[in-house]
């Protein structure tokens, strides 16, 4: 896969390129997750206490009535910084691994490259996210635990040590690895489908506005599919962090097989679909403003098309 210079600004697949992708991931993921903090607070409480918080409208009413409007923004720092760091690792490493595997796995399908690239990136992204997530979930569901990251990190370390920050790493991988391994390939193939079958033009022949529109449509499809796949693990993560269960098997038993797939699913679809769409939109906007093409595809695709 050869390097190219786009509009004389930045060389693709250089350290500067991967740095830009990482910054783009930080900004796009951090800001979008911050914006949906109230919904995330409700989602986590619905997972931990489904009897008390049994609906979106009634759940918001209960939180507001019992704890005031500030309760809806509990854990905002964990959302902003935790998911910002995760987004930087996820998007930056995805671009890196996609280039690496495309060069190494030359005889493999594009789907296989997208699949292993997203999995590899997510492994590192969740290791970075896990400490933030451990504090965030406790802040959102245990009002007396801490106010945010500043006092939450030392308090969690004092109570549970370093292991407390990574108690949910495997469930987090269980939630986010399937999500990414579905989301990124779905996004890539949705881009292909829209350009080839609907617009019937190459990406390079479309305006920037049209390219960003395709990015949004593909991001929406990717978010919806990924949410359904990852919902069981998301429920397990919340259960473990709130000591509703001591291990994954106990959490599955307590929640129930049907509830694993259905509990909090409507609000997660409400949350994740728009969040993923906005992330891809902001991420590709940053790319365009830097003189780069929007996301999607492999460099070898351009060679084959010429």
């Amino acid at each position: 896969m050869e390097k190219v210079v786009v509009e004389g600004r930045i060389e693709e697949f250089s350290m500067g390129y991967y740095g830009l992708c990482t910054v783009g991931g930080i900004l796009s993921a951090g800001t979008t997750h911050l914006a949906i903090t109230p919904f995330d607070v409700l989602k986590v409480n619905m997972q931990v206490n489904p009897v008390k918080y049994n609906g979106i409208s009634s759940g918001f009413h209960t939180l507001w009535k019992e704890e005031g409007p500030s309760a809806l923004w509990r854990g905002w720092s964990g959302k902003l910084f935790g998911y910002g760091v995760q987004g930087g690792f996820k998007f930056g490493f995805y671009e890196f691994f996609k280039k690496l595997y495309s060069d190494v796995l030359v005889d493999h399908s594009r789907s296989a490259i997208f699949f292993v690239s997203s999995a590899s990136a997510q492994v590192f992204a969740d290791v970075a996210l896990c400490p933030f997530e451990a504090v965030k979930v406790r802040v959102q569901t245990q009002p007396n635990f801490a106010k945010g990251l500043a006092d939450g990190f030392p308090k969690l370390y004092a109570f549970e040590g370093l292991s407390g920050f990574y108690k949910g790493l495997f469930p987090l991988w269980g939630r986010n690895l399937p999500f990414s391994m579905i989301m990124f390939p779905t996004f890539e193939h949705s881009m292909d489908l829209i350009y080839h079958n609907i617009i019937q033009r190459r990406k390079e022949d479309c305006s920037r506005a049209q390219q960003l529109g395709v990015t949004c449509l593909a991001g929406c499809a990717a978010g919806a599919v990924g949410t359904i796949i990852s919902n069981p693990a998301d429920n397990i993560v919340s259960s473990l962090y709130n000591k509703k269960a001591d291990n994954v098997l106990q959490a599955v038993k307590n929640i129930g097989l049907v509830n694993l797939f259905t509990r909090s699913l409507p609000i997660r679809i409400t949350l994740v679909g728009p969040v993923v769409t906005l992330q891809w939109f902001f991420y590709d906007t940053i790319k365009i403003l830097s003189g780069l093409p929007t996301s999607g595809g492999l460099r070898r695709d351009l060679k084959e098309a010429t």
Side-chain angles (χ1 to χ4, degrees):
M1 187 183 290
E2 61 184 12
K3 293 182 178 180
V4 297
V5 177
V6 182
E7 295 185 10
R9 294 188 184 184
I10 189 170
E11 190 178 67
E12 281 194 297
F13 317 121
S14 65
M15 291 302 296
Y17 172 77
Y18 295 125
L20 175 69
C21 293
T22 299
V23 171
I26 291 172
L27 294 175
S28 61
T31 53
T32 51
H33 276 280
L34 174 64
I36 54 95
T37 297
F39 291 94
D40 187 63
V41 172
L42 177 60
K43 181 211 73 172
V44 173
N45 279 279
M46 288 176 72
Q47 292 172 332
V48 174
N49 194 345
V51 175
K52 184 176 182 179
Y53 302 98
N54 57 10
I56 296 177
S57 179
S58 61
F60 274 127
H61 177 75
T62 300
L63 280 171
W64 187 291
K65 181 180 179 180
E66 294 186 355
E67 303 178 39
S70 62
L72 300 178
W73 290 97
R74 284 203 306 262
W76 68 267
S77 57
K79 295 289 287 181
L80 175 62
F81 296 108
Y83 283 89
V85 170
Q86 187 211 37
F89 275 74
K90 182 167 65 176
F91 283 95
F93 272 115
Y94 177 69
E95 299 283 0
F96 172 79
F97 283 119
K98 190 165 70 167
K99 166 70 164 61
L100 175 66
Y101 292 136
S102 181
D103 290 342
V104 174
L105 306 175
V106 292
D107 296 325
H108 289 71
S109 68
R110 298 167 73 253
S111 296
I113 293 173
F114 299 146
F115 190 82
V116 296
S117 298
S118 57
S120 300
Q122 193 66 52
V123 168
F124 291 97
D126 282 348
V127 171
L129 168 66
C130 202
F132 295 92
E133 184 78 353
V135 175
K136 177 193 76 72
V137 172
R138 286 171 172 82
V139 169
Q140 289 178 334
T141 58
Q142 302 170 25
N144 298 322
F145 177 78
K147 294 181 180 179
L149 295 180
D151 56 339
F153 270 116
K155 191 169 185 178
L156 180 58
Y157 182 77
F159 286 165
E160 302 183 30
L162 187 62
S163 63
F165 293 107
Y166 288 96
K167 180 186 296 184
L169 179 58
F170 288 103
L172 204 59
W173 277 335
R175 178 187 74 185
N176 291 341
L177 277 171
F179 181 87
S180 282
M181 289 187 291
I182 293 296
M183 188 270 285
F184 278 100
T186 300
F187 174 83
E188 298 274 7
H189 289 300
S190 295
M191 294 280 282
D192 288 343
L193 176 67
I194 295 169
Y195 279 119
H196 295 159
N197 295 355
I198 299 177
I199 298 179
Q200 297 182 349
R201 277 187 292 169
R202 298 190 313 160
K203 177 169 66 176
E204 293 74 22
D205 298 328
C206 296
S207 67
R208 290 181 172 182
Q210 289 173 326
Q211 291 181 34
L212 287 176
V214 174
T215 292
C216 288
L217 290 174
C220 185
V225 174
T227 300
I228 296 172
I229 297 297
S230 65
N231 199 60
D234 190 62
N235 280 298
I236 293 173
V237 168
S238 294
S239 179
L240 289 176
Y241 278 142
N242 283 277
K243 299 182 179 180
K244 299 290 184 178
D246 295 326
N247 54 61
V248 173
L249 290 178
Q250 186 179 348
V252 172
K253 182 178 179 180
N254 292 345
I255 296 170
L257 187 60
V258 174
N259 287 333
L260 274 177
F261 289 90
T262 59
R263 181 177 293 176
S264 75
L265 182 59
I267 193 169
R268 285 199 74 228
I269 291 176
T270 302
L271 283 173
V272 178
V275 165
V276 171
T277 303
L278 286 174
Q279 281 183 18
W280 279 110
F281 174 76
F282 291 152
Y283 180 67
D284 271 358
T285 298
I286 292 171
K287 277 188 167 184
I288 283 179
L289 293 176
S290 302
L292 292 163
T294 55
S295 301
L298 302 171
R299 269 295 141 214
R300 75 187 193 193
D301 297 336
L302 296 179
K303 291 182 180 180
E304 293 169 358
T306 57

